Amino acid sequence: MCSTLLSSVEAWWDWLLLVHCVANMPLTKHLRVGIIDSNPALKSRNHLTKNGIPDSRVSTVTPATISFFKDIGAWEHVQQQRHAFFGKMQVWDYTGLGYTRYNARDVGKEYLGCVVENKVLCNSLLLRLQEELDDIESVVYPTRLVSLTFPSKSRQAGMNPASSGQLSVGHATEELHRSNLVKLDLSDGRSLYSKLVIGADGSKSNVRQIAGIKTTGWNYPQSAIICTVEHAVENDCAWQRFLPSGPIALLPVGNNFSNIVWTMSPEESLRHKSMSPEEFVKSVNHALDFGYGPHPSSSALDHYMEQLFSGIGNTAASTKECFEVPPKATGVVSERMAFPLSLMHSHDYVSKRLALVGDAAHTVHPLAGQGVNLGFGDAAALAKVIAEGVSVGSDVGDLTLLQRYEKDRKAANVAMTAVLDGFQKLYSVDFGPLNVVRAAAFHGAQYISPLKRNIISYAMGDMKLPIFS
């Protein structure tokens, strides 16, 4: 097999999106693709019903990601399943010293993002892939990767078939050809050969570990609780409040349901998992309302900031929006799941005949919901680089070619990682002077319209850093 090969165990969307890109581009559609994944859901061919309780595992996809899904024909499948657009967002601090509201109208858009269950994203990409491939089973290997042998390691003394009388000419040619490919040994005993191996198999990437690529990172002293809650009314806004232990987010997922992503200490996460449903709902409402501190209220500083920056560009639509209290949860309707939080970044995204995408290359703090969008950006960028290489007759596994992908995506991913890690550290300390600095940041984001628009554009997929410009 002389084609691009994807190895995946858990991060479906990264490799599904990459396969779509390769299959849709005229220059790369001829490439043969193999998928190593033992998940039986790959055989699913049905849309997921919009009825029932939303799954607790969701992602917030940006307009840039949505546009990309539309380009490959997968978004129409998302639209037939449950999803929730939101055009407003409110972020505030538990001290009551400041808040910021964002509105899609600030940048002339209809929405800021869309919350979609992870299973819907994966299913939509899979359905689209099944439309493109007549026999998807022929490219799926329902097994696990055991080892990788790269060309430099597979060429051994005495392998030259020209000096061996035991090999036929045809066999010799095949051996020479395979000696320049990556050999993949699978758990079912089979072996595959590929020009390029793409590790899209999540934060605990087997491909990354087998290839010996080192990482830098650390564990945060935090865990995240995720679950689905119900309201008496529909939620149409994304809410995030920074608490002493970490942020709590309330994200609309359609109908009268919202998703909770609540960061806290590992000990607190265990306690909240074991609470009765009634106690947990009470704790959620406490955290999103008057708990830990007062609501932000107008002050002389607000009036001063508004007057000071009113002449800098057109005033954003959300600048005059008042603080609102989020809708109360009336019940928790899904399993409460807790997972530890960490930061990880691979020293290298590529080596000869290998590339990493998505969580296999980087993981970030979930406070802004950007992890999945970074992974989608990786998949799109790598597919583009592969297509450009094919257009000029390059070897798709050539290191020089793959380094163009690494240079592009590493810069964007490191910048976002730094921003999110900085926010995590800034809001993990309860200290008077620092609280005032945070409040000033909230006021700046609320009243300096050019800065607000820049922040929104960055969060929506424009990779310019959110600075005052």
Side-chain angles (χ1 to χ4, degrees), residues 394-448:
S394 296
D395 182 340
V396 297
D398 181 70
L399 180 58
T400 303
L401 177 69
L402 297 176
Q403 284 175 334
R404 288 161 52 188
Y405 152 73
E406 180 181 67
K407 181 180 179 181
D408 175 28
R409 291 307 301 165
K410 185 177 280 190
N413 294 335
V414 167
M416 180 62 79
T417 299
V419 168
L420 298 180
D421 186 59
F423 269 104
Q424 189 277 332
K425 289 178 168 54
L426 179 64
Y427 288 95
S428 294
V429 180
D430 185 10
F431 178 59
L434 187 57
N435 292 345
V436 174
V437 172
R438 292 199 303 248
F442 274 115
H443 284 288
Q446 176 65 3
Y447 292 105
I448 305 176

Side-chain angles (χ1 to χ4, degrees), residues 274-312:
S274 62
M275 284 180 176
S276 69
E278 295 76 18
E279 288 178 315
F280 182 77
V281 168
K282 183 177 179 180
S283 185
V284 165
N285 290 330
H286 181 73
L288 287 167
D289 201 342
F290 273 113
Y292 306 95
H295 294 160
S297 57
S298 298
S299 65
L301 178 59
D302 296 333
H303 179 72
Y304 174 76
M305 294 283 286
E306 187 173 359
Q307 293 298 314
L308 180 63
F309 295 106
S310 61
I312 303 179

Side-chain angles (χ1 to χ4, degrees), residues 56-132:
S56 56
R57 288 164 294 190
V58 306
S59 294
T60 303
V61 294
T62 63
T65 293
I66 292 171
S67 177
F68 195 57
F69 267 60
K70 289 179 177 178
D71 289 343
I72 63 173
W75 191 250
E76 62 185 61
H77 291 294
V78 174
Q79 291 178 305
Q80 295 178 54
Q81 302 172 86
R82 182 164 37 217
H83 62 287
F85 289 101
F86 61 92
K88 298 180 294 182
M89 183 174 185
Q90 178 175 288
V91 184
W92 73 107
D93 187 67
Y94 70 93
T95 62
L97 295 176
Y99 74 96
T100 304
R101 288 184 62 87
Y102 301 102
N103 195 307
R105 290 180 299 156
D106 293 339
V107 290
K109 302 294 184 180
E110 295 181 11
Y111 52 83
L112 296 173
C114 186
V115 182
V116 189
E117 293 162 76
N118 290 359
K119 64 181 183 182
V120 169
L121 286 175
C122 292
N123 193 53
S124 298
L125 287 166
L126 182 57
L127 288 168
R128 180 63 183 134
L129 184 60
Q130 289 168 341
E131 291 175 348
E132 295 167 349

Side-chain angles (χ1 to χ4, degrees), residues 79 217 231 267 278 305 331 341 450 463 467:
Q79 291 178 305
H231 308 287
E267 297 75 21
E278 295 76 18
M305 294 283 286
L341 303 181
M463 297 313 293
I467 57 175

